[in-house]
Amino acid sequence: AEVESAVPALIGHTERAEFKGQDLTGKPTRIKSLVEYEERFGKGPEPLVAKVVLDAQNNVASASLDSTYVLYDSIRLFFANGGGKCYIVSVGGYHDDLSKKEFEKGLEQLRREDEPTMLLFPDATKFPSTNELYALQKAALRQAGDLMDRFVIMDLAPSADTTRWSDTVKEFRSGIGIESLKYGAAYTPYLKTGLSKEIRFRTIHDK
C-alpha cells in the first residue's frame, strides 16, 4: 500500500493551543495548511529587535532580530515550500519557560501516532543547557529506533561565535551518543530566509 513518506511532527511553543473550545496543549494535532495552524495555534511571537539601521529617509535599511520561539516560522517555511500534512504538539505558550520535561511529554504523545515519519523540535535549541537538548534528541532517536517508522531531524545548538561553528559540531557529536544514529540527521548551519517580519521602532534624536 502506498503511504506518505514525509509527514513531519513538530514539538514546540505556540501563541495558543485551542480550537472550538477544545484545549490542544500536549495533543498531537494534524493540520494541512498555515490557515489551519493559525486557527488552532495562532501566530509567532513579537520579534526581539536587537538593532535597527535606518537610511537617510528614516526607512529601515536592516534589522537584527532574535526569537526564542521559532516553531511558527518553521511552519511558514514548511508550507511555503510545498509542505502538506503535518502534526503539531504545543507544549506551552510564549510566556512559558522552555522545559525539557514538557518536550519529552510531547514526544511521548507522538509515540502513539502512526502517521508521523519525521520528528522535529526547533525551539529546543534554546534550552538553557545543551545537555538538555542532547537528552531530548537522544530520547527522540530511541523512539525512532523502537518504532522503526520515523526519522529525527536534529538542529544543532546556536554558536555564540559563527567563526567557531566547528566547536558546536564537535560538542554535538560528543553529546548525542551512539544509539539509533541511523534514524537521525543533524542539520547545520542555520539558513537565512526571506520571511517577512513586522517590527516596530521609534527614532530618538540627540539634541
Side-chain angles (χ1 to χ4, degrees):
E2 292 185 0
V3 296
E4 294 182 80
S5 60
V7 182
L10 296 94
I11 307 169
H13 283 240
T14 60
E15 184 180 28
R16 62 177 183 272
E18 182 271 337
F19 187 63
K20 295 183 178 180
Q22 180 184 7
D23 184 6
L24 300 178
T25 304
K27 299 178 181 178
T29 304
R30 183 171 65 174
I31 61 171
K32 294 183 179 180
S33 69
L34 185 61
V35 171
E36 287 189 5
Y37 176 93
E38 292 177 349
E39 286 177 343
R40 292 155 177 78
F41 301 104
K43 295 189 177 183
E46 288 290 328
L48 303 176
V49 183
K51 181 181 180 181
V52 175
V53 178
L54 306 179
D55 61 19
Q57 288 74 42
N58 279 341
N59 296 315
V60 177
S62 64
S64 299
L65 308 178
D66 191 18
S67 177
T68 300
Y69 306 111
V70 296
L71 176 60
Y72 177 67
D73 283 342
S74 300
I75 286 295
R76 290 174 68 192
L77 286 169
F78 174 68
F79 287 118
N81 285 279
K85 179 168 54 180
C86 66
Y87 282 72
I88 304 296
V89 185
S90 175
V91 294
Y94 296 147
H95 298 292
D96 298 322
D97 293 331
L98 292 169
S99 166
K100 179 175 72 72
K101 181 178 180 181
E102 294 304 317
F103 276 74
E104 288 174 338
K105 288 180 180 178
L107 178 65
E108 192 59 29
Q109 290 297 318
L110 286 170
R111 180 181 286 272
R112 308 172 186 177
E113 302 292 335
D114 291 329
E115 281 192 305
T117 60
M118 291 186 289
L119 303 176
L120 305 94
F121 24 82
D123 287 341
T125 60
K126 299 297 182 71
F127 279 162
S129 166
T130 53
N131 288 333
E132 292 182 333
L133 172 62
Y134 301 144
L136 177 63
Q137 291 172 337
K138 287 192 282 189
L141 286 171
R142 283 196 298 272
Q143 181 179 122
D146 290 343
L147 300 179
M148 297 187 291
D149 64 356
R150 55 199 60 186
F151 195 76
V152 186
I153 305 296
M154 297 174 288
D155 293 298
L156 269 63
S159 174
D161 182 353
T162 55
T163 64
R164 298 178 62 82
W165 194 259
S166 60
D167 291 347
T168 304
V169 174
K170 291 177 182 177
E171 182 183 283
F172 169 78
R173 287 174 171 165
S174 175
I176 198 60
I178 60 173
E179 184 178 353
S180 299
L181 293 184
K182 68 179 181 179
Y183 290 99
Y187 194 93
T188 190
Y190 296 169
L191 296 178
K192 291 185 177 181
T193 73
L195 288 177
S196 62
K197 293 282 187 178
E198 292 186 4
I199 63 172
R200 297 179 177 88
F201 69 94
R202 63 179 180 179
T203 58
I204 299 176
H205 299 282
D206 294 331
K207 295 182 179 179

